[in-house]
Amino acid sequence: MRSLLVLYDDACPLCIRCRRWLEEQAQLVPLRFASCRDADVQARFRSIRGLGDELVVVADDGQAWVGPSAFLVCLWALDAWRGWSWALSSPFWLPIARWFFTRVSRARAVLGELLGAGACHEGHCGVATSVGPYR
């Protein structure tokens, strides 16, 4: 695996802020970013369960992670956070990591405002796709 493609909601201020944070970190595996709203992305990755619903990360070899697993893969790609990714994926911590990521994901509109990232468009974070809103 030489790189990872992070598919995120480019209309969500919190998601944009998270992308910037990821870009600022030293990366052991290069991260590239694309909007889940992009028609080419939707066509190329339409077979991935969760596209448009969840954070999705796709490796250059075609392997894909969705939701909390995608979050952990992003941490794994970062120099300072790889150890945390291993720890958080352990049997003890994985349920907590999943719970945390799911809660943050569901509350991203509120968290975005609290962190000064601004409100999501039209009062919610979401993108209409064939599989539902991106959360």
Side-chain angles (χ1 to χ4, degrees):
M1 174 183 335
R2 292 184 307 250
S3 68
L4 294 167
L5 178 62
V6 179
L7 306 177
Y8 75 106
D9 184 352
D10 68 340
C12 168
L14 182 61
C15 298
I16 293 167
R17 185 175 178 138
C18 290
R19 174 192 172 162
R20 287 186 195 133
W21 181 82
L22 288 167
E23 289 174 323
E24 293 170 358
Q25 304 303 304
Q27 299 173 6
L28 297 172
V29 177
L31 297 174
R32 298 176 297 122
F33 299 87
S35 170
C36 68
R37 298 169 171 274
D38 184 89
D40 291 336
V41 166
Q42 289 183 15
R44 181 176 174 197
F45 298 110
R46 69 177 162 261
S47 66
I48 296 176
R49 180 195 56 70
L51 180 66
D53 245 353
E54 303 275 350
L55 173 67
V56 174
V57 175
V58 181
D60 53 9
D61 65 5
Q63 188 172 1
W65 298 267
V66 178
S69 299
F71 170 71
L72 291 173
V73 168
C74 285
L75 291 182
W76 175 83
L78 304 177
D79 186 33
W81 292 89
R82 183 165 278 184
W84 279 102
S85 74
W86 290 117
L88 291 171
S89 62
S90 72
F92 178 79
W93 289 107
L94 185 57
I96 296 166
R98 284 182 178 145
W99 177 87
F100 175 78
F101 180 81
T102 301
R103 294 309 171 270
V104 167
S105 201
R106 287 182 183 161
R108 65 187 176 140
V110 172
L111 290 172
E113 287 191 71
L114 288 174
L115 294 172
C120 291
H121 301 283
E122 299 175 8
H124 64 87
C125 287
V127 55
T129 67
S130 59
V131 295
Y134 181 87
R135 298 205 191 288

